[in-house]
């Protein structure tokens, strides 16, 4: 097996965490076609995304505590297996309601990768090292959403949308084998927690009452909700409204993901000379500026592909700087219950993001306006959360006194 601190272990953890983005991004170009084939409305098809996030959020509340009791590897392997079975169900769905159900079940298994990948990084590294490793991990993981829509667009054009879910099932089974064989158990045996309802509630109460945890988690969740608003609305805006072909959709999506990778790499580089708080502030301000520009263009009825994609690339650059810092900050105070802290963190992130995606689908007016406004408001709310909570209550051991 690989050493825990090996770069190859980080790459394998990134591949495990990437299952979540793959499950959303690969089938984005297929959403209009799914709606047509299953006789479903735009709102109903977008609900398959929100159902996935809802299942993802709920599963994380149990996934982390189970991993704190039994270890990271067994729960991750079981999650991949459930994900693979549900993906086959998605491929064979004959109506949008059954697709929603299987997407929900898919999320129950898919939550294991991201939750336990974050927890494993906290198991292996110190809080400040975790921020840098998570940025590296995010840079590697970003290859998935960069390539997935392009691959999905080609597959839906030539093989049909069901083929996407068969590929996801194969990926999950491959990761199940790789994790079982290639990665050692990262959790220290002495950190294992008892699996009792009273202990679970006690841990969640302890974590949820930590004001620095709440600040980092809310800031991250609001920033992630701006990303999910784009994920939820981009295929309908670009393909249906602006006339981009499904095959070319992935190329545009890769362009904005490149902004996220640049943000991750900036976070890694700046981490050598700046405090996490300083990187976080720069990222939020950059993302907020991009959100305001996108919303302003939409309000002025400037409707073009680049009026959406250029501001979104800027937003994702800022997001790439923000997410690793807030993930590491949220888990910094909980080395003995990193799985539970990661679960509660992920639950909040996915719940807020699911609401953002559902809002875009419910209010969609056939243009880019609703998506742009939800994105801008999310970044502004993330900035407010940072100022009111993170700067005032930084995590001890992760931040020193916050600076503007």
């Amino acid at each position: 097996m690989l050493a825990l601190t090996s770069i190859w272990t980080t790459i394998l953890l990134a591949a495990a965490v990437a299952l979540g983005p793959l499950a959303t991004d690969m089938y984005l170009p297929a959403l209009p076609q799914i709606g047509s084939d299953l006789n479903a409305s735009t709102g109903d098809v977008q609900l398959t995304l929100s159902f996935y996030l809802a299942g993802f959020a709920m599963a994380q509340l149990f996934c982390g505590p189970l991993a704190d009791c039994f270890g990271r590897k067994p729960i991750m392997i079981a999650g991949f297996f459930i994900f693979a079975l549900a993906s086959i169900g998605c491929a064979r769905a004959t109506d949008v309601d059954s697709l929603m159900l299987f997407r929900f079940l898919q999320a129950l298994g898919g939550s294991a990768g991201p939750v336990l990948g974050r927890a494993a990084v906290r198991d292996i590294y110190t809080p400040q090292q975790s921020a840098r490793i998570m940025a590296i991990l995010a840079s590697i993981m970003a290859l998935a959403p960069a390539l997935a829509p392009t691959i999905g667009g080609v597959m839906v054009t030539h093989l049909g949308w069901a083929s996407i879910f068969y590929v996801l099932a194969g990926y999950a089974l491959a990761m199940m084998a790789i994790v079982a064989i290639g990665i050692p158990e990262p959790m220290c045996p002495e950190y294992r927690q008892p699996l009792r309802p009273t202990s679970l509630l006690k841990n969640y109460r302890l974590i949820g009452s930590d004001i620095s945890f709440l600040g980092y988690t809310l800031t991250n969740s609001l920033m992630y909700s701006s990303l999910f608003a784009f994920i939820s609305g981009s295929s309908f805006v670009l393909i249906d409204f602006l006339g981009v072909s499904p095959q070319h959709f992935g190329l545009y999506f890769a362009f904005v993901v490149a902004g996220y990778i640049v943000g991750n790499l900036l976070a890694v580089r700046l981490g050598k000379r700046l405090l996490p708080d300083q990187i976080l502030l720069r990222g939020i301000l950059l993302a907020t500026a991009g959100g305001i520009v996108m919303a302003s263009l939409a309000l002025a009825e400037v409707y073009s592909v680049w009026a959406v994609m250029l501001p979104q690339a800027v937003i994702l650059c800022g997001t790439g700087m923000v997410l690793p810092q807030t993930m590491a900050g949220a888990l910094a105070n909980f080395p003995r219950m990193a799985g539970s802290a990661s679960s509660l963190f992920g639950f909040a992130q996915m719940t807020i993001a699911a609401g953002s995606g559902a809002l875009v689908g419910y209010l969609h007016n056939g243009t880019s306006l609703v998506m742009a406004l939800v994105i801008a408001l999310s970044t502004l709310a993330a900035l407010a959360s940072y100022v009111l909570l993170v700067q005032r209550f930084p995590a001890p051991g992760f931040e020193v006194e916050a600076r503007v």
Side-chain angles (χ1 to χ4, degrees):
M1 286 192 177
L2 298 170
L4 284 174
T5 54
S6 165
I7 185 61
W8 291 107
T9 299
T10 302
I11 291 171
L12 289 178
L13 287 174
V17 174
L19 189 65
L22 281 174
T24 54
D25 299 338
M26 186 175 281
Y27 95 132
L28 290 180
L31 291 181
Q33 187 62 52
I34 290 173
S36 176
D37 288 353
L38 301 183
N39 297 314
S41 67
T42 296
D44 284 342
V45 174
Q46 284 180 311
L47 277 177
T48 64
L49 282 167
S50 293
F51 263 70
Y52 180 84
L53 282 196
F56 208 93
M58 290 177 60
Q60 292 186 76
L61 290 177
F62 304 97
C63 180
L66 285 170
D68 281 344
C69 179
F70 299 108
R72 313 304 184 206
K73 282 183 61 173
I75 307 306
M76 192 178 290
I77 290 168
F80 287 141
F81 184 67
I82 293 169
F83 180 95
L85 292 180
S87 296
I88 295 171
C90 289
R92 299 178 66 84
T94 56
D95 57 71
V96 73
D97 290 333
S98 60
L99 181 60
M100 288 181 193
L101 172 62
F102 283 115
R103 285 288 286 170
F104 182 84
L105 295 175
Q106 192 185 40
L108 297 184
S111 66
V115 172
L116 303 184
R118 288 192 299 262
V121 170
R122 183 62 187 91
D123 291 333
I124 298 166
Y125 298 98
T126 66
Q128 289 198 355
Q129 288 173 332
S130 294
R132 187 166 179 267
I133 295 300
M134 284 184 179
I136 294 171
L137 186 147
S139 298
I140 300 168
M141 190 183 72
L143 294 173
L147 298 175
T150 301
I151 296 170
V154 172
M155 292 178 68
V156 74
T157 300
H158 297 288
L159 300 173
W161 58 267
S163 64
I164 294 171
F165 291 106
Y166 285 122
V167 168
L168 288 171
Y171 182 91
L173 291 173
M175 287 308 306
M176 184 174 70
I178 290 170
V179 169
I181 298 169
I183 300 178
E185 173 58 56
M187 184 182 183
C188 295
E190 61 268 25
Y191 283 2
R192 296 201 174 189
Q193 302 288 317
L195 189 63
R196 294 194 298 266
T198 53
S199 297
L200 178 59
L201 292 174
K202 179 182 177 182
N203 288 348
Y204 276 148
R205 185 168 62 249
L206 176 65
I207 296 165
S209 62
D210 186 295
I211 193 68
S212 66
F213 173 85
L214 294 176
Y216 289 110
T217 299
L218 184 59
T219 302
N220 179 288
S221 301
L222 289 166
M223 189 62 70
Y224 189 78
S225 72
S226 74
L227 170 58
F228 197 76
F230 175 76
I231 290 173
S232 181
S234 59
S235 60
F236 294 98
V237 169
L238 294 180
I239 295 173
D240 286 350
F241 177 53
L242 297 174
V244 173
S245 72
Q247 284 180 286
H248 292 154
F249 172 83
L251 297 177
Y252 287 107
F253 202 88
F255 172 79
V256 298
V257 171
Y260 182 74
I261 294 173
V262 169
N264 290 151
L265 295 176
L266 278 174
V268 173
R269 188 174 183 84
L270 293 173
K272 297 176 181 178
R273 59 185 180 86
L274 295 180
L275 297 171
D277 176 74
Q278 295 171 314
I279 300 171
L280 187 51
L281 177 58
R282 285 161 172 76
I284 291 177
L285 290 176
L286 186 62
T288 303
I292 292 171
V293 169
M294 184 192 290
S296 299
L297 290 171
L299 286 168
E301 298 185 354
V302 179
Y303 295 133
S304 73
V305 170
W306 295 112
V308 173
M309 304 311 283
L310 286 175
Q312 184 62 30
V314 173
I315 294 167
L316 281 183
C317 182
T319 302
M321 298 170 69
V322 169
L323 296 190
Q325 314 304 317
T326 48
M327 287 179 194
L331 272 58
N333 292 345
F334 305 102
R336 293 183 176 272
M337 54 183 83
S340 296
S342 182
S343 288
L344 199 57
F345 173 89
F347 175 78
Q349 182 192 62
M350 293 300 170
T351 300
I352 293 174
S356 171
L359 189 63
V360 170
Y362 181 73
L363 298 177
H364 180 62
N365 66 348
T367 73
S368 61
L369 179 61
V370 171
M371 183 184 77
L373 288 176
V374 173
I375 289 171
L377 290 173
S378 297
T379 59
L380 286 167
L383 177 61
S385 174
Y386 167 80
V387 171
L388 296 175
L389 293 174
V390 174
Q391 279 204 323
R392 295 175 63 191
F393 305 100
F398 178 67
E399 307 273 14
V400 295
E401 185 178 354
R403 308 173 186 176
V404 178

